[in-house]
Amino acid sequence: MSAAAARAAQVLTHLSHPDRLAVLASLSRRGPDGATITAMASELDLPVTRVGDAVSRLRGIGLATGTGNGVYRARLDGLREAASDIEKEQPIARLLVAYPELKSNFAHGRVKELPPTMSDRSELMGELLARFLDLDGLYEEAEINRRLSAVTDDVAGARRMLVETGWLERDRAGTTYGLGRQLPTDEK
């Protein structure tokens, strides 16, 4: 696991505690005005010590800031950074950088929708997924499905699109697949 993924895991682990999540939500609702530990304890009906501990831990992972006068504020950019770090760890992220026109088809490293059939984006998506599959021979359908499932829930739709765009070729029985055409060497 990379340092960025470990950091994201740490943020999520800290937020799994109900007191910390409640305190972060309270700070977030208060916006730039922030809140004191006492005000949050009253609002959340929690002991001051538990709110103080939650604020301390949130500050430690960069999700809260303090001004020195006892007022704390949420720092939600820390959540965005954690989400971005997790997204960068997704298996297709490295390849997707070279296909910026397909970014809208992905969410968090997974295909959220396949482009319309016969569109330029369908051809590009086929090329991207063919690169992702990294085929160097013939593979059973189960292996193609396993690889595609790392980036899409619509495995059958993605496999069909790869065949229709010519990036994937199947045998007459429809059980064995291989690369249908050579990928361009000027890797995007």
Side-chain angles (χ1 to χ4, degrees):
M1 179 185 311
S2 72
R7 165 100 174 91
Q10 178 189 31
V11 167
L12 293 174
T13 299
H14 274 74
L15 288 178
S16 69
H17 192 281
D19 288 353
R20 292 178 214 140
L21 192 56
V23 167
L24 183 62
S26 174
L27 289 173
S28 178
R29 280 190 300 274
R30 292 171 180 264
D33 293 337
T36 64
I37 289 174
T38 307
M40 284 186 288
S42 175
E43 173 194 342
L44 299 171
D45 196 26
L46 291 172
V48 170
T49 54
R50 283 177 44 191
V51 173
D53 179 65
V55 168
S56 174
R57 290 175 188 266
L58 290 171
R59 286 186 68 206
I61 60 170
L63 293 182
T65 61
T67 59
N69 63 356
V71 176
Y72 299 92
R73 292 174 183 79
R75 186 182 164 274
L76 298 180
D77 286 348
L79 289 175
R80 286 184 204 91
E81 291 162 7
S84 175
D85 289 343
I86 290 171
E87 193 166 323
K88 289 175 190 169
E89 293 292 318
Q90 297 304 311
I92 203 156
R94 178 184 58 82
L95 295 172
L96 189 55
V97 169
Y99 296 84
E101 53 273 76
L102 294 176
K103 267 204 167 301
S104 65
N105 293 89
F106 285 81
H108 310 296
R110 296 191 58 80
V111 176
K112 66 179 182 182
E113 68 177 341
L114 292 169
T117 305
M118 305 301 289
S119 70
D120 290 342
R121 283 189 174 190
S122 182
E123 177 69 25
L124 277 175
M125 180 67 83
E127 182 179 326
L128 170 64
L129 291 176
R131 285 188 193 285
F132 174 75
L133 288 174
D134 193 29
L135 302 178
D136 60 357
L138 298 176
Y139 295 85
E140 296 295 316
E141 183 174 303
E143 177 60 16
I144 299 295
N145 291 347
R146 185 190 68 74
R147 290 183 185 195
L148 286 173
S149 71
V151 295
T152 185
D153 292 329
D154 187 4
V155 172
R159 193 181 61 243
R160 186 173 41 257
M161 184 206 60
L162 281 161
V163 170
E164 288 172 358
T165 57
W167 290 107
L168 198 59
E169 194 171 86
R170 67 177 163 225
D171 67 359
R172 288 183 187 255
T175 59
T176 306
Y177 294 81
L179 196 58
R181 56 182 161 155
Q182 196 66 34
L183 287 162
T185 53
D186 61 308
E187 188 172 325
K188 286 192 92 180

